[in-house]
Amino acid sequence: RPLVKIVMSTPKRTDTAIADDTINVSPSTANGSVSVPGSKSISNRVLLLAALGKGQCKVSGLLHSDDTNVMLIALEKMGVKYKWDSEKKEVLTINGSGGKLYLPKSELYMKNAGTATRFLTTAVNLIEEKGEVTITGNERMQKRPIQDLVDALNKSGTDIKCKLGTGCPPLVSKTSGNGWSGGDITLAANVSSQYVSSILISAPFAKTAVKLTLDGKGQGICSRPYIDITTDLLKKFKIEVTEPSANVFAVKNSPFDNPASWLIEGDASSASYPLAFAAITGGKVTVQNVGKGSIQGDSKFCYLLEKMGCTVSQTETTTTVEGPKDFKNGLQAIKSDVDMDSMTDLFMTLAAVAAVSVGTTRIVNIANQRVKECNRIEATVLELKKFGVTCKELATGIEIVGDPNLRNRDESKTVYIDPRDDHRLAMSFAVLAAAVPGVTIQEKHCVNKTYPTFWKHSKEHLGVNVEEPSVTKKQRT
């Protein structure tokens, strides 16, 4: 019989497929001004608060992104009505439910939206119908921890289980038909501040007033500024919330009326990238909708850039950064350990600037970044090493030995950045690429999570060299 040879292999991705989702960023001088999208942190908090309150609320400045879209879809599945003013989607009118949510007919699929997933973990228990609600997400979301929140809620009368027994989504919440009991709750708060905000936002609709005690497990309370954003918004929605003693919150169980309108301020996390472009390229950039009046802790990131040699100014609503023109000695590493506990999501932006600075930068108290969209500390180290940067992981952070000579590397030796579908990795390495030649960033779409117009803004508003790669017939696996 003739022999038949069967070869099975993984299909190759052509350059066409790769080019569709990659982008080249090259050395530039960033100058200009930009308004960043609405704050993700505030957007999802306001969406849930307005959905639970009584009456209409017209929300403007809302972030248009994957994270807010999945929140809106989930709220709609639970009976919340809303309507956009026009095709431009500039104003969203939400008809508050007065705390009356209904059993969704299908699972709540949250993609990789950690904020929305955790906020709804408490909110679904307000449903006064007997049944089950499943909250799930994509592969990465199913690896992000939520057990501490589940344990705290179950001690207050809920019946929630992590379906796979991993302490992560998917979650199945059995609703008793009687709503959520509330009462005295102790919560481990050393992993994510989102657990805290989840309970606080739904607390006004618990059957008994909520007294929430945070346990830092000897490691401190994680990302306290994000908890402060939540309590600030609760007060502005006329919800009675107090902190009778350190890390203990009391929320009155009383329905509230929605404000007639709400304007969401710009996203301070997103603002870090235009400002870092200025720092690393010796340009001057103004972010027009984030200033010292912001309630976001990330709005103070600019002062880290100032410590590295930049000129910084803020008004109530704007922030301007001008980077040093001397690329050899202008950017200096911050000499002492940089405690970024109050702005952990921005350590990668700082790491990008540190990579071309003079000296060693040590960033600490960012351990929670290991359980975000990816293990961000590990990923940052691996991607920086592609450039030859000397860096390493620390127990709670990262150490980077800066090298201004990176600006002179051989651009023909292309570095391909793998963001691991993480928006913040992609944008942070775009900052580095604006100073270092020969960089292609893969998965350009991942910025849609928080800053869908990032590539356009960088090119058209700031003058950063951003180009779609040319397509050839050559194939690369």
Side-chain angles (χ1 to χ4, degrees), residues 50-61:
L52 293 175
K54 292 189 293 184
Q56 281 192 350
C57 182
K58 293 181 181 295
V59 181
S60 55

Side-chain angles (χ1 to χ4, degrees), residues 249-262:
F249 297 91
V251 184
K252 187 178 179 181
N253 59 324
S254 177
F256 57 91
D257 293 324
N258 278 330
S261 62
W262 193 274

Side-chain angles (χ1 to χ4, degrees), residues 51-117:
L52 293 175
K54 292 189 293 184
Q56 281 192 350
C57 182
K58 293 181 181 295
V59 181
S60 55
L62 187 72
L63 171 66
H64 295 278
S65 73
D66 289 345
D67 279 24
T68 51
N69 287 339
V70 294
M71 175 66 98
L72 282 170
I73 291 168
L75 291 172
E76 187 174 42
K77 283 185 175 183
M78 292 187 286
V80 177
K81 305 294 183 185
Y82 61 85
K83 184 180 180 181
W84 289 103
D85 63 327
S86 65
E87 289 184 3
K88 291 183 178 180
K89 296 186 174 182
E90 293 177 343
V91 180
L92 178 70
T93 300
I94 301 175
N95 294 315
S97 67
K100 295 187 183 301
L101 301 178
Y102 298 92
L103 279 173
K105 293 180 180 178
S106 59
E107 69 180 18
L108 304 181
Y109 180 72
M110 311 307 294
K111 293 188 177 181
N112 193 14
T115 305
T117 298

Side-chain angles (χ1 to χ4, degrees), residues 368-414:
N368 71 319
Q369 293 295 302
R370 290 191 169 101
V371 290
K372 291 286 189 173
E373 281 79 347
C374 66
N375 182 335
R376 287 175 168 171
I377 301 176
E378 176 188 67
T380 301
V381 167
L382 291 175
E383 297 304 310
L384 285 175
K385 284 184 175 180
K386 290 180 181 179
F387 295 89
V389 175
T390 300
C391 55
K392 64 181 181 181
E393 288 191 54
L394 304 175
T396 68
I398 185 172
E399 180 179 282
I400 302 151
V401 180
D403 182 6
N405 290 322
L406 281 180
R407 297 177 185 270
N408 304 316
R409 71 177 296 275
D410 184 355
E411 66 179 324
S412 67
K413 297 179 180 178
T414 304

Side-chain angles (χ1 to χ4, degrees), residues 24-45:
N24 296 334
V25 181
S26 56
S28 329
T29 301
N31 286 297
S33 61
V34 66
S35 291
V36 295
S39 164
K40 183 189 80 166
S41 299
I42 297 175
S43 288
N44 268 330
R45 284 165 171 79

Side-chain angles (χ1 to χ4, degrees), residues 24-300:
N24 296 334
V25 181
S26 56
S28 329
T29 301
N31 286 297
S33 61
V34 66
S35 291
V36 295
S39 164
K40 183 189 80 166
S41 299
I42 297 175
S43 288
N44 268 330
R45 284 165 171 79
V46 168
L47 283 178
L48 185 51
L49 282 166
L52 293 175
K54 292 189 293 184
Q56 281 192 350
C57 182
K58 293 181 181 295
V59 181
S60 55
L62 187 72
L63 171 66
H64 295 278
S65 73
D66 289 345
D67 279 24
T68 51
N69 287 339
V70 294
M71 175 66 98
L72 282 170
I73 291 168
L75 291 172
E76 187 174 42
K77 283 185 175 183
M78 292 187 286
V80 177
K81 305 294 183 185
Y82 61 85
K83 184 180 180 181
W84 289 103
D85 63 327
S86 65
E87 289 184 3
K88 291 183 178 180
K89 296 186 174 182
E90 293 177 343
V91 180
L92 178 70
T93 300
I94 301 175
N95 294 315
S97 67
K100 295 187 183 301
L101 301 178
Y102 298 92
L103 279 173
K105 293 180 180 178
S106 59
E107 69 180 18
L108 304 181
Y109 180 72
M110 311 307 294
K111 293 188 177 181
N112 193 14
T115 305
T117 298
R118 288 158 176 167
F119 286 5
L120 293 180
T121 298
T122 305
V124 297
N125 293 284
L126 301 177
I127 295 172
E128 295 186 348
E129 297 178 85
K130 199 168 185 178
E132 286 187 356
V133 181
T134 297
I135 303 175
T136 189
N138 64 15
E139 184 179 358
R140 179 57 192 172
M141 191 66 239
Q142 293 184 24
K143 294 178 181 177
R144 298 179 68 177
I146 201 165
Q147 191 67 55
D148 289 338
L149 177 58
V150 169
D151 289 344
L153 288 172
N154 282 345
K155 288 176 182 177
S156 71
T158 65
D159 184 357
I160 310 169
K161 286 185 174 59
C162 295
K163 193 173 181 179
L164 303 179
T166 58
C168 305
L171 306 174
V172 177
S173 183
K174 291 185 178 180
T175 56
S176 65
N178 299 316
W180 174 40
S181 299
D184 289 356
I185 302 170
T186 299
L187 172 68
N190 58 306
V191 174
S192 175
S193 63
Q194 293 169 358
Y195 302 163
V196 183
S197 295
S198 175
I199 291 174
L200 292 177
I201 291 171
S202 291
F205 298 95
K207 296 304 177 184
T208 56
V210 169
K211 180 183 177 184
L212 178 62
T213 301
L214 307 186
D215 181 359
K217 297 293 183 180
Q219 301 172 37
I221 305 304
C222 181
S223 302
R224 174 63 197 240
Y226 285 94
I227 300 172
D228 294 338
I229 290 174
T230 301
T231 56
D232 183 87
L233 289 173
L234 290 175
K235 290 171 184 176
K236 288 176 178 175
F237 269 75
K238 308 301 181 186
I239 298 166
E240 192 175 319
V241 54
T242 59
E243 189 172 359
S245 57
N247 299 321
V248 176
F249 297 91
V251 184
K252 187 178 179 181
N253 59 324
S254 177
F256 57 91
D257 293 324
N258 278 330
S261 62
W262 193 274
L263 174 62
I264 292 172
E265 66 181 64
D267 192 295
S269 303
S270 294
S272 74
Y273 309 111
L275 299 176
F277 274 136
I280 206 168
T281 68
K284 185 177 182 179
V285 170
T286 297
V287 174
Q288 296 173 321
N289 57 341
V290 176
K292 62 184 179 183
S294 170
I295 63 172
Q296 301 166 76
D298 289 2
S299 64
K300 295 178 176 60

